[in-house]
Amino acid sequence: MEAVIARAKSVSLDCNNVDKKLRQIFDLTEDEANFHMKQSAFLYQLAVQTMPKSLHCLSMRLTVEYFRDHLFDKELSEKYSDPTLQHYVIFSNNVIASSVVINSTVVHARDTVNQVFHVLTDWQNYYAMKHWFLRNTFGDAVVQVLNIEDPDSYGKATLSHLTLPVEFRVSFPSNDSAPAIHNRTQYVSIFSHSHYLLPEIFKNLEKVVVLDDDVVVQQDLSALWSLNMGGKVTGAIEICSVKMDQLQSYLGEHSFQKHSCSWMSGLNVIDLARWRDLDISETYWKLVKEVSMKEGSALLATLLTFQDQIYALDRVWVLSGLGHDYGLDIEGIKKAAVLHYNGNMKPWLDLGIPKYK
């Protein structure tokens, strides 16, 4: 021990050099950690946005079968445009997901003879969807498949591509003093550009219920058709845990009611007659042009367009969060009329939350 101590004393150390070396090691470690975090986030997003191979192959196989089998549509155009029936609209490029939405709605309906489903899809999945819904029946309900990218679908120039409901991941502190690590995260799901074509696509209809393709229905939805929304354009679930002032980084300097709640797509009752009267689509497109260069422009334009036009649905209608929240109550899941798998972990992906699948 004496020899070791003597040897240690004989070596002169510069504390500044030690400090610099430790700082270099720390900086390198931090840079490496940041790199791996960014790479992890990129790969996670890639996994979310990539359609599973099995679903892609199913769509391709159905398309081939459609042209090989020479099936013809059983045209029920009188039902497609009958305003006295219950019309459900689904925007989707996923055959299985849209089929789950329709099947779960029909299975829990008291009466299916009045149900009409309109699946709006793109060129790539149009014939697969057609073939699937020609071969499969859902009670007495009828299913119409429309290609939203085809102007012949409703006689007006369309968007260049189908856009699905947009989901924004927003984080903010639980309180002013909370550290960043305790930030609260919410997924806000809103209408896409395609939703603003609804009044043109369904000119003869006055009311529709829009269902996202990441929902599963557990109860009869017929009560939505007798809902009195008091002149509001759309009925939606409000999320008062996310107030408009908490989204100011997206909304910028535009005037808005700071303490009003944001709202969710997923299940939306839409009064198309009122929509046309207020020219909601035109308002939206004007706002999109104004804010097209800003981050979160779709969120900004949609929230401002529907300000004061949301009828708050009772929260028992929809339970959200099954695509990101691991802590949902099982009893709440059983009681909800509609389960909304909003978030990145969709049930058809390998990274879906297993206990909710």
Side-chain angles (χ1 to χ4, degrees):
M1 180 61 73
E2 286 179 354
V4 170
I5 293 172
R7 186 177 176 187
K9 287 181 177 179
S10 68
V11 178
S12 60
L13 292 174
D14 187 345
C15 288
N16 287 332
N17 288 338
V18 174
D19 179 62
K20 286 179 182 178
K21 186 63 177 177
L22 289 174
R23 288 181 184 276
Q24 286 176 352
I25 294 171
F26 176 78
D27 289 341
L28 288 172
T29 305
E30 189 175 35
D31 288 344
E32 189 174 1
N34 286 334
F35 167 76
H36 286 296
M37 284 178 64
K38 290 178 181 177
Q39 188 180 51
S40 174
F42 170 74
L43 293 174
Y44 183 75
Q45 287 298 324
L46 187 64
V48 167
Q49 295 168 7
T50 303
M51 181 177 285
K53 185 179 179 181
S54 57
L55 286 181
H56 179 72
C57 291
L58 172 64
S59 184
M60 296 295 290
R61 193 162 66 247
L62 289 170
T63 301
V64 171
E65 289 178 5
Y66 176 86
F67 290 102
R68 186 183 63 197
D69 292 350
H70 302 292
L71 286 175
F72 294 96
D73 296 324
K74 300 170 184 175
E75 284 298 337
L76 297 167
S77 54
E78 68 281 357
K79 277 199 165 187
Y80 295 159
S81 56
D82 185 348
T84 64
L85 302 180
Q86 298 176 4
H87 293 265
Y88 297 88
V89 178
I90 303 164
F91 293 87
S92 181
N93 57 11
N94 187 322
V95 174
I96 296 297
S98 54
S99 188
V100 167
V101 177
I102 294 173
N103 190 56
S104 62
T105 306
V106 169
V107 164
H108 294 97
R110 295 190 187 95
D111 181 15
T112 62
V113 72
N114 292 323
Q115 291 184 323
V116 183
F117 292 89
H118 307 271
V119 181
L120 277 59
T121 189
D122 54 14
W123 271 118
Q124 183 177 342
N125 296 282
Y126 175 64
Y127 293 106
M129 291 275 197
K130 292 274 281 187
H131 192 66
W132 179 267
F133 289 113
L134 283 171
R135 290 182 58 178
N136 295 281
T137 57
F138 302 86
D140 294 319
V142 297
V143 181
Q144 179 190 29
V145 179
L146 287 172
N147 177 6
I148 202 171
E149 297 172 2
D150 179 11
D152 293 334
S153 292
Y154 56 99
K156 184 179 178 181
T158 66
L159 296 171
S160 59
H161 62 279
L162 169 74
T163 52
L164 301 178
V166 187
E167 291 189 344
F168 287 87
R169 183 177 182 271
V170 294
S171 296
F172 39 83
S174 301
N175 54 62
D176 294 339
S177 61
I181 196 170
H182 293 134
N183 281 0
R184 192 155 46 90
T185 298
Q186 291 277 355
Y187 282 82
V188 180
S189 179
I190 60 166
F191 289 167
S192 70
H193 292 333
S194 296
H195 285 69
Y196 293 90
L197 298 175
L198 286 172
E200 288 295 325
I201 298 173
F202 302 108
K203 291 181 179 179
N204 296 323
L205 303 184
E206 296 182 354
K207 190 175 188 178
V208 296
V209 170
V210 178
L211 298 169
D212 289 359
D213 68 356
D214 59 353
V215 305
V216 175
V217 178
Q218 297 191 126
Q219 296 177 24
D220 180 42
L221 300 182
S222 57
L224 293 172
W225 299 96
S226 57
L227 204 61
N228 180 4
M229 298 197 296
K232 302 295 186 182
V233 174
T234 182
I237 297 296
E238 289 190 329
I239 5 176
C240 290
S241 57
V242 182
K243 297 288 182 71
M244 296 283 271
D245 58 342
Q246 293 170 317
L247 299 173
Q248 187 149 11
S249 59
Y250 293 102
L251 299 175
E253 300 302 320
H254 287 78
S255 60
F256 56 89
Q257 298 173 6
K258 292 189 175 183
H259 298 295
S260 61
C261 303
S262 56
W263 55 277
M264 292 281 287
S265 70
L267 167 69
N268 299 98
V269 185
I270 295 181
D271 184 339
L272 289 177
R274 185 68 176 150
W275 184 306
R276 295 185 190 101
D277 290 342
L278 297 176
D279 210 354
I280 292 291
S281 297
E282 186 62 27
T283 301
Y284 174 77
W285 292 117
K286 284 180 180 177
L287 282 167
V288 166
K289 288 180 181 177
E290 288 179 20
V291 300
S292 59
M293 299 304 291
K294 292 185 179 180
E295 182 187 0
S297 58
L299 178 64
L300 191 162
T302 294
L303 290 177
L304 292 177
T305 298
F306 282 98
Q307 196 167 211
D308 298 325
Q309 295 302 328
I310 300 296
Y311 173 82
L313 296 177
D314 194 307
R315 295 193 66 82
V316 299
W317 279 109
V318 183
L319 178 66
S320 299
L322 281 86
H324 69 90
D325 188 348
Y326 284 87
L328 294 178
D329 178 47
I330 299 300
E331 285 303 311
I333 291 176
K334 291 177 180 177
K335 291 178 182 177
V338 175
L339 302 178
H340 188 191
Y341 288 79
N342 64 307
N344 283 333
M345 292 177 277
K346 304 297 184 187
W348 56 82
L349 298 175
D350 288 340
L351 48 72
I353 300 175
K355 66 177 179 178
Y356 300 151
K357 282 195 175 187

